[in-house]
Amino acid sequence: QVQLVESGGGVVQPGRSLRLSCAVSGFIFSNYAMCWVRQAPGKGLEWVALISKDGSNEYYVDSVKGRFSISRDNSDNTLHLQMNTLGAEDTAVYYCARDWGLDLWGRGTLVTVSS
Amino acid sequence: DVVMTQSPLSLPVTLGQPASISCRSSQSLLHSDGNTYLYWFQQRPGQSPRRLIYQVSKRDSGVPDRFSGSGSGTDFTLKIIRVEAEDVGIYYCMQGTHWPRTFGQGTKVEIK
């Protein structure tokens, strides 16, 4: 069964860091690029970052460049998002999604940035 | 960044009637490889988004054929020929041609 399961969310103080993970099963992880998309409470979807299938290329939305880092471990079928210098504007549900076209999504993990 | 503009933002529909959502991009979505990377997603209440349509008009596996996508260049449309109760939710278009990828604001479909 194809699954994407995010973890690592929680409440974090402004300026601190958090690392999200997405565990994948049911397909050959190393064959696909992977993305992170976020959704602030009551708001629309915002594409955050993408990593190519071999990890050689990364792309980010401007608002997270220099603060967030996407990575993957193809031996462990896991995607990560390292988030540094978090601000209130980063409060959102973070989804991992498969491939350039986001054909499969996880259920998301909630990140709340608050003092 | 490419701005994706959806209309309407709210769409009350009678069960069994058609619905249409427009999505316009601020730049052409025709990629240099000849494809147009325009996607449609459905987000039912309390659920994760689900992709319905890719490359403008190709339906994903398991998507009912009452959903169809069309358009080219900067002007795209998602149509539901007969709305059913399970179609309630928010629909988003997204462009996958330019960096960064960008979504429309979302169109909320509800039953009258």
Side-chain angles (χ1 to χ4, degrees):
Chain A
Q1 184 184 1
V2 176
Q3 267 195 313
L4 295 80
V5 180
E6 301 91 340
S7 61
V11 180
V12 60
Q13 292 180 329
R16 303 299 290 266
S17 299
L18 206 60
R19 190 188 195 214
L20 305 183
S21 298
C22 171
V24 158
S25 58
F27 62 93
I28 301 173
F29 181 62
S30 59
N31 283 356
Y32 293 89
M34 295 294 296
C35 297
W36 289 98
V37 176
R38 66 185 179 183
Q39 186 169 35
K43 302 296 184 183
L45 301 172
E46 181 182 32
W47 180 91
V48 173
L50 178 144
I51 187 166
S52 58
K53 57 185 178 182
D54 63 358
S56 60
N57 291 292
E58 303 167 22
Y59 305 85
Y60 299 91
V61 68
D62 281 352
S63 59
V64 309
K65 275 181 188 173
R67 299 189 302 123
F68 289 14
S69 178
I70 189 171
S71 63
R72 64 190 297 158
D73 183 344
N74 284 350
S75 67
D76 198 28
N77 293 344
T78 308
L79 175 72
H80 300 286
L81 186 68
Q82 177 67 42
M83 305 187 295
N84 300 328
T85 320
L86 285 161
E89 68 278 10
D90 299 313
T91 293
V93 173
Y94 285 74
Y95 298 100
C96 62
R98 189 179 76 169
D99 211 9
W100 304 87
L102 286 70
D103 64 343
L104 290 172
W105 295 60
R107 293 191 172 188
T109 186
L110 176 62
V111 173
T112 303
V113 184
S114 174
S115 53
Chain B
D1 296 1
V2 175
V3 177
M4 305 296 288
T5 304
Q6 289 183 229
S7 62
L9 298 185
S10 177
L11 185 55
V13 186
T14 301
L15 285 173
Q17 292 302 301
S20 180
I21 301 170
S22 169
C23 175
R24 291 197 164 101
S25 58
S26 60
Q27 298 178 36
S28 174
L29 300 187
L30 178 62
H31 195 277
S32 56
D33 67 6
N35 294 313
T36 299
Y37 296 101
L38 186 283
Y39 307 91
W40 289 98
F41 298 88
Q42 175 196 60
Q43 188 173 30
R44 291 172 170 153
Q47 294 188 14
S48 304
R50 163 201 182 196
R51 197 177 77 178
L52 300 176
I53 301 284
Y54 63 101
Q55 289 184 32
V56 181
S57 60
K58 299 176 181 178
R59 259 192 315 274
D60 273 280
S61 174
V63 174
D65 60 7
R66 64 179 181 275
F67 289 93
S68 66
S70 63
S72 64
T74 62
D75 202 349
F76 305 92
T77 303
L78 177 70
K79 291 183 178 174
I80 311 173
I81 54 172
R82 283 179 301 276
V83 172
E84 298 189 6
E86 66 178 18
D87 300 336
V88 165
I90 302 176
Y91 291 77
Y92 297 92
C93 60
M94 187 197 87
Q95 63 84 15
T97 298
H98 303 281
W99 297 105
R101 308 319 197 198
T102 45
F103 287 92
Q105 320 97 298
T107 295
K108 186 173 186 178
V109 172
E110 58 185 9
I111 305 301
K112 278 184 187 174

